[in-house]
Amino acid sequence: GIVGSAVARALTAAGHHVTPLCRAQGWRLGRPAPLAGQDALIHCALAHAPGRYRGGEGDDPAAFIANNLDGTRALFDQAAQQGLGRVLFLSSRAVHDGHPAGMRLPDDLPPRPTSLYGRVKGEAEAHLARLPLSGCAIRATGVYGPGPAHKWRSLFADYRAGQPVAPRVATEVHVDDLAQALVLLLANTAPPSTANCSDLILDRHDLLGMVRDLTGCPHPPPPRADPSPLRLLDCAALTALGWHPGGLPRLAQTLPALLRD
């Protein structure tokens, strides 16, 4: 996937040897994993309806739970049984959807999910925390980055075609910045049990304004959205490790590639 590929590249660049667990190797969540002899497990997998995380269960919530919660618990149990020293788990800010609008979310805030996706992530976090190994759940916000399945493909197409685009503001992080966060957490000898990962507060008005400037699109971007209900992730744990996400310059650098994909 987009995240797993970026993480593998970042780990390799940092000098780690990466053994992938993915469909290309015939592995899926719920199947036994060949973890013996590995130092760490980084779990970025999710079985979901295409393009959907919240609501990713589609019309089969039982399969979603079996794959993503039962399968993840089994994977973590195998990591503990096979003596791995570290597990990093890609969780989600969706674990916090039930907290009040406008709240600032510290790294160690207990989950309060409202979606099945958020509940599955929160329960997987709890299972990891109970095991006798060093585990960290990374609660990432929306992730953007280049690739044929990037998250804004349909948004850009609608805007450039003159279709109505609803106002929206959200928090985002570039996939390479998320990957670097995982590299830092892997190197830390005493990582936190949970760590937030977020960078930009991004309004579609500004994002599509940048698209307009790059493409000469004649359509106006949508009006600005009200940012006050946003629940903002406090990323103090990652900042303390020296994490410096790319912010708007990273977005501006990435946008031409997104428009080509």
Side-chain angles (χ1 to χ4, degrees):
I2 291 175
V3 174
S5 297
V7 172
R9 289 193 301 269
L11 289 167
T12 301
H16 297 284
H17 175 76
V18 179
T19 303
L21 282 173
C22 59
R23 291 185 179 183
Q25 278 72 36
W27 180 84
R28 298 187 182 210
L29 276 169
R31 294 183 179 177
L35 302 178
Q38 304 296 327
D39 297 312
L41 168 70
I42 299 181
H43 176 16
C44 300
L46 183 76
H48 61 98
R52 300 171 67 187
Y53 296 91
R54 293 174 181 85
E57 66 274 16
D59 58 2
D60 196 350
F64 187 81
I65 292 170
N67 288 325
N68 297 304
L69 182 54
D70 299 341
T72 291
R73 285 170 172 162
L75 184 61
F76 291 163
D77 288 344
Q78 292 169 55
Q81 292 161 5
Q82 297 186 47
L84 271 70
R86 176 71 51 83
V87 172
L88 301 182
F89 171 50
L90 183 59
S91 187
S92 168
R93 66 160 298 139
V95 301
H96 292 320
D97 285 349
H99 289 292
M103 180 177 176
R104 192 159 190 92
L105 308 171
D107 289 292
D108 58 355
L109 187 68
R112 188 181 290 177
T114 60
S115 63
L116 181 58
Y117 171 62
R119 180 168 70 82
V120 163
K121 289 292 190 181
E123 292 184 18
E125 287 185 10
H127 188 79
L128 178 59
R130 290 191 291 266
L131 293 174
L133 45 70
S134 176
C136 177
I138 299 87
R139 294 166 168 174
T141 191
V143 181
Y144 77 94
H150 77 78
K151 66 183 296 180
W152 294 323
R153 173 182 284 275
S154 61
L155 173 67
F156 290 173
D158 287 347
Y159 167 66
R160 297 177 73 179
Q163 299 296 321
V165 174
R168 185 173 185 266
V169 60
T171 53
E172 307 286 351
V173 66
H174 191 283
V175 67
D176 289 341
D177 290 321
L178 172 57
Q180 286 303 318
L182 289 162
V183 171
L184 288 170
L185 288 164
L186 185 63
N188 188 262
T189 56
S193 59
T194 53
N196 293 329
C197 185
S198 183
D199 184 15
L200 293 170
I201 300 173
L202 184 61
D203 194 301
R204 282 180 175 177
H205 174 88
D206 297 316
L207 174 63
L208 295 177
M210 296 170 72
V211 172
R212 176 195 57 198
D213 294 343
L214 285 170
T215 64
C217 180
H219 308 300
R224 292 189 181 278
D226 177 11
S228 62
L230 285 177
R231 303 173 188 87
L232 298 179
L233 293 167
D234 187 333
C235 301
L238 286 178
T239 301
L241 296 179
W243 186 63
H244 299 291
L248 280 173
R250 174 86 84 177
L251 173 63
Q253 183 182 40
T254 303
L255 201 51
L258 297 180
L259 290 166
R260 290 193 299 269
D261 285 336

